[in-house]
Amino acid sequence: MPTVDENIEGLSRAILSEARGETEHVKADAEAKAEEIRKRAQEQADAERKAILDQASQEADRLRSQAIATAQLKARSSELAHREKLLERAFKQVRQKLPEVQKRSDYDQIVAGLIREGLEQLNAPKVQIRADKATQKVLTPQLLDQLSKECHAQLTLGQPLEQGTGVILDAEGGHLTFDNTFETRLSRLQTRLRPATFQILMGESSS
């Protein structure tokens, strides 16, 4: 029969064994929880890293697109500026050559056409015609009389123009005016002529 000491020693061993088992269980449970926490932390870190990289990639794409758009806009602006310079130079040269029209043998008929157009626009019974000095020479009393009868308007010749080539018609004491100088006619046509003029300058077909 075991002695009291032997019973105490056996009980001690049983208690220690139970404690060691409990310790191992607690340790294993703690390690499992720690591993779970580590995995969640890693997953969260990976998700945050991916979100940051995605955002950085989107921002890079945005900046790249913005840079391309800016470059295209600058290129287009430069192209338009160059085009404007070419067109302005072309129309400037045309304006400088407008007085050469006065050397044509049918210039009197051209002037008559300018006056007819002005009279149609004003539709007034009395009209004063102002013209440059060269144009005034073809505005003979005979031509004015012919146009007066044809257009049913009383025509008089006013002071010479200080600027411009062609005629300006005034009615109702100057309250109505129709500028039919070649310079003004070119300005009125300029917007419509610009595309075709640019095609010619670039050597392109207008068809």
Side-chain angles (χ1 to χ4, degrees):
M1 183 175 181
T3 65
V4 173
D5 291 338
E6 289 174 341
N7 287 337
I8 292 173
E9 184 178 350
L11 182 58
S12 297
R13 284 196 300 269
I15 292 172
L16 288 174
S17 177
E18 181 69 20
R20 281 196 298 270
E22 184 66 20
T23 300
E24 291 297 327
H25 177 74
V26 171
K27 179 182 177 182
D29 187 55
E31 288 178 350
K33 288 182 178 179
E35 179 63 18
E36 184 180 351
I37 293 172
R38 187 193 66 78
K39 286 182 178 180
R40 285 203 303 267
Q42 185 62 45
E43 289 174 356
Q44 184 177 356
D46 290 344
E48 291 176 353
R49 177 175 176 274
K50 184 177 183 301
I52 292 172
L53 290 175
D54 288 345
Q55 184 177 0
S57 178
Q58 292 174 4
E59 182 66 12
D61 290 341
R62 187 186 69 80
L63 292 175
R64 190 181 304 109
S65 298
Q66 189 179 51
I68 292 173
T70 300
Q72 290 175 338
L73 182 61
K74 287 183 178 179
R76 179 61 177 164
S77 298
S78 178
E79 178 185 350
L80 290 174
H82 178 63
R83 171 175 174 164
E84 286 302 311
K85 287 182 180 179
L86 285 176
L87 288 170
E88 287 303 321
R89 188 185 307 168
F91 283 111
K92 182 179 180 180
Q93 291 179 358
V94 171
R95 287 189 185 91
Q96 291 173 346
K97 293 181 179 180
L98 287 176
E100 295 181 7
V101 178
Q102 296 174 326
K103 299 177 182 178
R104 292 180 47 161
S105 59
D106 61 345
Y107 185 59
D108 58 337
Q109 295 304 312
I110 293 174
V111 173
L114 295 177
I115 294 173
R116 289 189 187 97
E117 184 178 6
L119 292 173
E120 183 179 349
Q121 292 294 324
L122 293 176
N123 191 27
K126 295 182 180 181
V127 175
Q128 183 183 76
I129 301 172
R130 291 181 289 142
D132 61 277
K133 291 182 179 180
T135 301
Q136 276 193 333
K137 293 179 181 179
V138 303
L139 290 174
T140 61
Q142 292 80 7
L143 179 59
L144 291 177
D145 184 60
Q146 174 190 334
L147 291 172
S148 295
K149 292 177 181 178
E150 179 184 329
C151 300
H152 307 289
Q154 181 181 339
L155 304 180
T156 57
L157 196 59
Q159 294 296 318
L161 293 177
E162 296 181 2
Q163 292 182 336
T165 306
V167 296
I168 295 179
L169 283 70
D170 296 317
E172 297 185 6
H175 293 292
L176 292 178
T177 297
F178 186 76
D179 187 337
N180 217 13
T181 58
F182 292 116
E183 290 81 3
T184 300
R185 290 176 65 85
L186 179 62
S187 297
R188 290 198 290 259
L189 291 171
Q190 191 165 331
T191 300
R192 182 160 58 87
L193 293 174
R194 288 166 72 85
T197 303
F198 186 70
Q199 287 180 334
I200 293 172
L201 289 172
M202 295 293 97
E204 301 173 1
S205 172
S206 59
S207 59

